[in-house]
Amino acid sequence: MTRICVSVCENSVEALESAAVRASECADVVELRLDCLTDLEGLERILSRISRPVILTFRPREQGGRRELDQQTRESFWKTAPRTEWWDIEWDLTVETDWSRIIVSHHDFSGVPHDLSQIYQRLASTPARVVKIAVQTNDIVDCIPVFKLLDRARSEDRDVIAIAMGNAGLATRILGPSRGAFLTYAALEEEWATAPGQITAEKLRSVYHVDQIDCETMICGLVGLPVMHSVSPHMHNSALRTAGINGVYLPLEVRDLKTFFERLVHPRTRELDWNLRGLSVTAPHKSAVLDFLDWIEPNAKEIGAVNTIVVDDDKLRGFNTDAAGFMEPLLKVFDSLDGLRVAVLGAGGAARAAVWALLKQQASVTLFARDVVKARQLEQVFDVSYESLSSASFATYDLVINATPLGSGELLDQVPATAEQLDGVNCVYDLVYNPIKTRFLQEASKVGCRTVPGLEMLIAQAKSQFVLWTGQTPSSNAMYEAAFAALDH
Ligand code: NAP
């Protein structure tokens, strides 16, 4: 059974009451973090308004709580604490109580302790009903000891909550219940998270369908750094649901690719028994992953980048769906790209796939980049000319493509070219997809250019990935609607 516990921690009784009532609407269990409150008057009223089982927690700062609590304050709190279904008590405190409702907990916010197994042993030797261990992850491989702890507790028939905190640990929050975790914690709102890496209960249910994951579930994921902002989990999970496939797609924040492939991915060396079927790869790893694959399709080799990996028995196969995904929307605008004069702005990974695909279609490509060294590297690999990006005019081009991040994230207000520079261009294609209608596309519309949003490429490349992993064609609508709902407008 999957239990989602929403943890709430507010500074006033009124705010805690309102959060707790909202939490009981979306959670299976509500955790009241009382270390946020200085005055506990009104606690009984809050408890009477929560319609779910409650975990009461009074966490000292050194274990991740919000304030300093000395031993005596903690002991006297628990002596008079109201009776609820569960009390979460840190393992350093001895309290005379009914152990059948105690969660005995240990938190480490500095990393994964080398003696994790002994810590578990110590906690498991108490009469507490549930053992909880939360450790900080700095890399995705830090999830391995946490998953191993879950496996061990299951084999010993011990109820356990084991969490890898931080973005790199998200897999433990999503897959934990299917591997025996007693519950998984969630936030009411992302900005109200009570621990690093906590996502909302709404997201756990509606994006990851955490209550439908089991040990048979096919697992796919997005490898990159950062990945938490990505809309790919929204699109792929929605398509998996619509197709009725028992699968889940996770963001996997990876720093050290080599260790990740050795210890978590490659079927011949990995330490985790999981039904991993495929990976998407995003910046900054698209070129570096080539070193860890058993087979690479010729197109991906030529482009020098892999954005899709399929785990086939004991082999890892690499593909590039970016190039075809990039071309799909263009072929709806132009009958042929033969001889088309195309300006590609940027010289990174996306530009590389775009240039390769354009040259295959016999287009005449000019690269505009700010970094001369990178542009020259591309010029040497592909048959393109190169010009400087600053104050260029594009009037003589049929198609202008933005393959820089200008117009999104921290560069939201910037444009790679203005309406004036684009005047006379037939079509403008922005690979940036968040927001959907970028300022660059708005500039292009002002001077009558046709426009292609990056969302079309995003969906096209994702559809090909889905086919490679599942053998089925995904619903474009499901992918589009999920991405549309998750993106800025
Ligand atoms: P990347 O490898 O980091 O390359 C980015 C390129 O943009 C580099 O040439 C970089 O130049 C240049 N650049 C960065 N900041 C700039 C600035 N302020 N002014 C001028 N040039 C700048 O990134 P990527 O993977 O190619 O992605 C580029 C964009 O395409 C991103 O927004 C990404 O989200 C989007 N994309 C969309 C899709 C899709 O499916 N729609 C797929 C892939 C990528 P330097 O080398 O000098 O930094």
Side-chain angles (χ1 to χ4, degrees), residues 38-257:
T38 42
D39 179 4
L40 296 181
E41 190 112 347
L43 180 57
E44 288 294 346
R45 194 185 66 240
I46 298 178
L47 288 172
S48 71
R49 297 205 56 204
I50 302 175
S51 54
R52 303 282 175 183
V54 170
I55 300 175
L56 222 52
T57 304
F58 195 56
R59 185 89 73 229
R61 194 182 297 285
E62 67 274 14
Q63 293 259 1
R66 298 285 165 93
R67 73 191 159 103
E68 308 295 340
L69 296 168
D70 61 29
Q71 196 89 352
Q72 202 185 349
T73 312
R74 291 165 66 201
E75 277 168 12
S76 53
F77 168 82
W78 288 115
K79 272 187 192 139
T80 56
R83 196 181 166 84
T84 57
E85 284 78 1
W86 304 100
W87 285 359
D88 175 336
I89 300 185
E90 302 74 31
W91 72 281
D92 62 324
L93 204 66
T94 317
V95 179
E96 293 293 323
T97 187
D98 167 13
W99 285 93
S100 67
R101 61 197 166 93
I102 297 297
I103 299 170
V104 62
S105 63
H106 175 82
H107 302 79
D108 192 324
F109 286 85
S110 62
V112 183
H114 62 91
D115 57 346
L116 190 66
S117 174
Q118 283 96 310
I119 292 171
Y120 166 78
Q121 190 73 46
R122 198 156 55 221
L123 269 59
S125 65
T126 68
R129 167 72 202 287
V130 182
V131 168
K132 175 189 174 191
I133 294 181
V135 295
Q136 182 67 35
T137 41
N138 298 311
D139 193 280
I140 188 140
V141 291
D142 292 340
C143 293
I144 297 171
V146 174
F147 281 128
K148 284 188 175 163
L149 212 59
L150 285 171
D151 291 347
R152 176 176 169 187
R154 194 160 49 168
S155 72
E156 293 172 1
D157 209 15
R158 198 73 170 84
D159 281 325
V160 74
I161 303 166
I163 305 152
M165 297 184 286
N167 291 343
L170 183 59
T172 63
R173 295 187 185 276
I174 295 172
L175 302 179
S178 67
R179 303 180 75 95
F182 184 71
L183 56 75
T184 186
Y185 288 93
L188 200 51
E189 305 281 349
E190 219 116 280
E191 55 276 22
W192 295 354
T194 56
Q198 226 175 50
I199 60 171
T200 62
E202 208 275 317
K203 223 173 187 180
L204 274 181
R205 281 194 213 282
S206 66
V207 177
Y208 297 104
H209 302 275
V210 70
D211 46 350
Q212 289 170 47
I213 300 174
D214 56 33
C215 53
E216 308 274 295
T217 299
M218 173 189 83
I219 295 165
C220 295
L222 171 65
V223 177
L225 185 71
V227 284
M228 297 304 284
H229 64 286
S230 173
V231 293
S232 295
H234 296 258
M235 296 195 306
H236 279 295
N237 284 313
S238 172
L240 287 165
R241 277 306 104 198
T242 307
I245 295 171
N246 180 12
V248 66
Y249 181 99
L250 314 170
L252 304 170
E253 190 178 282
V254 176
R255 281 183 175 72
D256 177 354
L257 265 189

Side-chain angles (χ1 to χ4, degrees), residues 198-441:
Q198 226 175 50
I199 60 171
T200 62
E202 208 275 317
K203 223 173 187 180
L204 274 181
R205 281 194 213 282
S206 66
V207 177
Y208 297 104
H209 302 275
V210 70
D211 46 350
Q212 289 170 47
I213 300 174
D214 56 33
C215 53
E216 308 274 295
T217 299
M218 173 189 83
I219 295 165
C220 295
L222 171 65
V223 177
L225 185 71
V227 284
M228 297 304 284
H229 64 286
S230 173
V231 293
S232 295
H234 296 258
M235 296 195 306
H236 279 295
N237 284 313
S238 172
L240 287 165
R241 277 306 104 198
T242 307
I245 295 171
N246 180 12
V248 66
Y249 181 99
L250 314 170
L252 304 170
E253 190 178 282
V254 176
R255 281 183 175 72
D256 177 354
L257 265 189
K258 185 172 186 292
T259 319
F260 170 68
F261 272 87
E262 260 172 36
R263 298 189 58 196
L264 275 169
V265 179
H266 205 293
R268 287 199 293 265
T269 56
R270 69 185 176 208
E271 295 167 39
L272 187 67
D273 179 18
W274 60 340
N275 187 12
L276 186 67
R277 172 64 179 150
L279 297 168
S280 306
V281 186
T282 189
H285 299 315
K286 281 186 188 180
S287 297
V289 290
L290 269 77
D291 289 347
F292 307 105
L293 306 175
D294 301 297
W295 178 87
I296 300 162
E297 68 159 349
N299 289 355
K301 258 191 203 157
E302 277 183 34
I303 298 164
V306 158
N307 78 323
T308 312
I309 296 170
V310 180
V311 184
D312 249 346
D313 296 326
D314 67 343
K315 297 250 178 339
L316 300 180
R317 300 183 192 279
F319 300 83
N320 187 304
T321 70
D322 275 338
F326 160 81
M327 196 48 72
E328 196 177 300
L330 276 185
L331 294 174
K332 290 181 199 155
V333 179
F334 298 100
D335 293 335
S336 160
L337 275 77
D338 194 347
L340 208 74
R341 290 157 306 171
V342 186
V344 174
L345 320 185
R352 226 184 150 88
V355 167
W356 181 89
L358 288 162
L359 292 176
K360 282 271 167 207
Q361 299 285 328
Q362 320 296 336
S364 156
V365 181
T366 306
L367 204 65
F368 288 80
R370 65 173 182 182
D371 183 338
V372 186
V373 177
K374 273 197 184 166
R376 290 225 175 99
Q377 279 169 358
L378 277 194
E379 197 184 16
Q380 279 162 15
V381 180
F382 300 114
D383 180 18
V384 290
S385 52
Y386 154 71
E387 288 193 30
S388 169
L389 182 57
S390 60
S391 63
S393 167
F394 299 104
T396 55
Y397 289 90
D398 303 301
L399 171 64
V400 177
I401 297 161
N402 175 35
T404 76
L406 290 171
S408 66
E410 287 172 4
L411 306 172
L412 186 70
D413 293 330
Q414 297 190 32
V415 284
T418 59
E420 202 178 15
Q421 289 173 279
L422 296 171
D423 201 0
V425 173
N426 179 347
C427 179
V428 166
Y429 186 0
D430 198 346
L431 302 196
V432 169
Y433 53 80
N434 196 12
I436 297 171
K437 182 91 181 175
T438 59
R439 274 198 56 202
F440 182 50
L441 294 181

